[in-house]
Every structure is written in C-alpha cells, then in structure tokens.
C-alpha cells in the first residue's frame, strides 16, 4: 500500500504556518526548527524556499500588509478620505495579527507590499498638494498612530476586580473594572476619536488643501 503523500511544501504554506504560530504564541515562538516541526518536515527543507528566518518574517509581514486597502489614494478621493480609509484598513490588518506589529514597526525594508503601501499613501498626499517633506511626516504620523493602536488594548489594561479601584485612592475610576468587558467598543472608539482629531488638525493647518463641500 502506498504511503499517504505529505502536503507539498511551498512558500505560501510556510508563511501561513509561520503566521499562525506567531498569532498563537508570539514572535519569540518562531524558529526554523519549530516551524519545520509544525509543517512536519525537516529543518533544511525550509531553506529550499527561504535562506534565513528573517526572510520568513519578511514574507509573513508582507502578507499582513498586503491586506491593507490603499485604493482610496488611487481614485482621486480627497486626501482626508484617503487617510481615513487607509488608517482604518491598516489598523484592521494589524489588529488581526498584533504579535507581528513590533516587527512591522521597523519599517517596510525591501518588502513589496510595504513599499507599495508607502508609495500609494505618500503619492496620494503629494498629488493632493502636500509638500513632499510634510507628506512624509504625515504618513509617518499615521503609521505610528496605527501601530500603537494595534499593538495593545487600553481596555485590557484594567482588571475586572472592583476592589482594585478603592475610591479613597482612585476617586474617578469607579467604573474602570467594566472597561475590559467593553474592550472592542473602547479601543475602536479611541482609535476613531484620535484619527478624526489627527485629520481635522491637519485640515486646519492647510485649509487651502481642503476641497469644497460636496466635491
């Protein structure tokens, strides 16, 4: 009787397995030995597709960033809508895989999806009339804001034990133990509040770049 065939090893399978491992156990859990065990192959077989662990991490990171929608910058939409749509999609992609965020925060490097995202955002801002130096700073600011928002949860930072918030010590935290119960609402609301404040603040700095209402 023929032996059951093992699934063929491919770059896509290696990357998806590595991402699943990072999602479940964090970045420190990823090693070529552990990844090979998860795939049911010998360690050296990975090197037919990737020469180093960093190459695997780059591919994983690029897979996450490839899910970010930057199409608003390509359709002639005004820069405010472009920034809002980009930031929301960017956060959604990172929030789905928070353990990879510290690696992504290092920048796009040579990763194609990361460079395409940077090119679309920067290009969209420059085409909207922003000076290149300012467009660079705005894109960097959005990246910092999104990464920070996706990296952790404000709501989860508070324990759900009411006794931890003695009114004698913390007179304004009487409801803090309820925050974790409303994590998504709190965190997404905080992100939207901050994002709107950033974009509105930029519009005030450059009223000449704000299109007329209805345009």
């Amino acid at each position: 009787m023929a032996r059951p065939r093992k699934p063929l090893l491919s770059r896509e399978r290696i990357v998806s397995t590595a991402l699943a491992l990072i999602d479940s156990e964090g970045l420190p859990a990823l090693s070529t030995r552990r990844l090979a065990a998860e795939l049911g192959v010998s360690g050296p077989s990975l090197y037919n597709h990737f020469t180093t662990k960093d190459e695997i991490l780059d591919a994983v990171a690029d897979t996450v960033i490839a899910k970010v929608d930057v199409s608003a910058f390509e359709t002639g939409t005004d820069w405010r809508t472009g920034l809002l749509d980009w930031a929301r999609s960017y956060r959604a992609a990172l929030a789905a895989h928070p353990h990879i965020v510290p690696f992504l925060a290092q920048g796009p490097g040579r990763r194609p999806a990361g460079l395409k995202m940077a090119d679309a955002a920067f290009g969209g801002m420059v085409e909207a009339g922003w000076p290149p130096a300012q467009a660079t700073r705005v894109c960097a600011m959005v990246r910092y804001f999104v990464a920070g928002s996706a990296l952790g949860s404000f709501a989860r930072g508070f324990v759900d034990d009411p006794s931890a918030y003695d009114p004698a010590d913390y007179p304004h935290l009487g409801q803090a133990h309820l925050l974790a119960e409303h994590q998504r609402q709190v965190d997404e609301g905080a992100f939207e509040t901050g994002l709107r404040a950033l974009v509105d603040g930029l519009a005030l700095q450059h009223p000449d770049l704000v299109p007329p209402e209805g345009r």
Side-chain angles (χ1 to χ4, degrees), residues 3 26 35 39 41 66 68 78 82 99 104 123 128 133 135-136 159 165 181 201:
R3 294 181 179 178
L35 182 56
L39 290 162
V41 299
V68 179
D78 76 86
H99 289 154
L104 282 167
T136 298
V159 299
Y165 309 102
E181 183 181 342

Side-chain angles (χ1 to χ4, degrees), residues 8-182:
L8 292 176
L9 196 60
S10 65
R11 286 180 64 91
E12 292 74 17
R13 185 169 169 241
I14 293 170
V15 169
S16 63
T17 302
L19 180 56
L21 181 58
I22 292 169
D23 284 345
S24 63
E25 300 184 33
L27 273 171
L30 182 67
S31 67
T32 53
R33 179 178 297 180
R34 176 68 188 280
L35 182 56
E38 292 288 324
L39 290 162
V41 299
S42 62
S45 63
L46 296 178
Y47 298 119
N48 293 324
H49 302 276
F50 296 97
T51 58
T52 65
K53 173 186 166 181
D54 283 343
E55 280 192 12
I56 297 173
L57 276 171
D58 274 334
V60 170
D62 224 33
T63 295
V64 173
I65 292 300
K67 298 175 183 176
V68 179
D69 182 7
V70 292
S71 62
F73 287 115
E74 301 166 0
T75 58
T77 304
D78 76 86
W79 65 267
R80 293 174 301 177
T81 300
L83 280 184
L84 290 169
D85 288 357
W86 170 44
R88 288 166 181 154
S89 179
Y90 193 5
R91 181 183 182 274
L94 268 57
H97 308 284
H99 289 154
I100 195 68
V101 174
F103 184 79
L104 282 167
Q106 299 173 18
R110 295 176 180 270
R111 298 189 293 271
L115 291 172
K116 287 179 180 178
M117 181 182 75
D119 181 74
F122 174 76
M125 295 298 287
V126 171
E127 288 176 9
W130 284 81
Q134 292 187 33
T136 298
R137 290 194 288 270
V138 170
C139 292
M141 176 186 66
V142 171
R143 188 168 71 84
Y144 300 153
F145 179 64
V146 169
S149 175
L151 187 59
S153 165
F154 175 82
R156 280 205 307 267
F158 293 85
V159 299
D160 60 3
D161 179 4
S163 67
Y165 309 102
D166 188 328
D169 296 321
Y170 315 108
H172 305 295
L173 296 181
Q175 301 297 307
H177 65 285
L178 300 176
L179 287 173
E181 183 181 342
H182 304 283

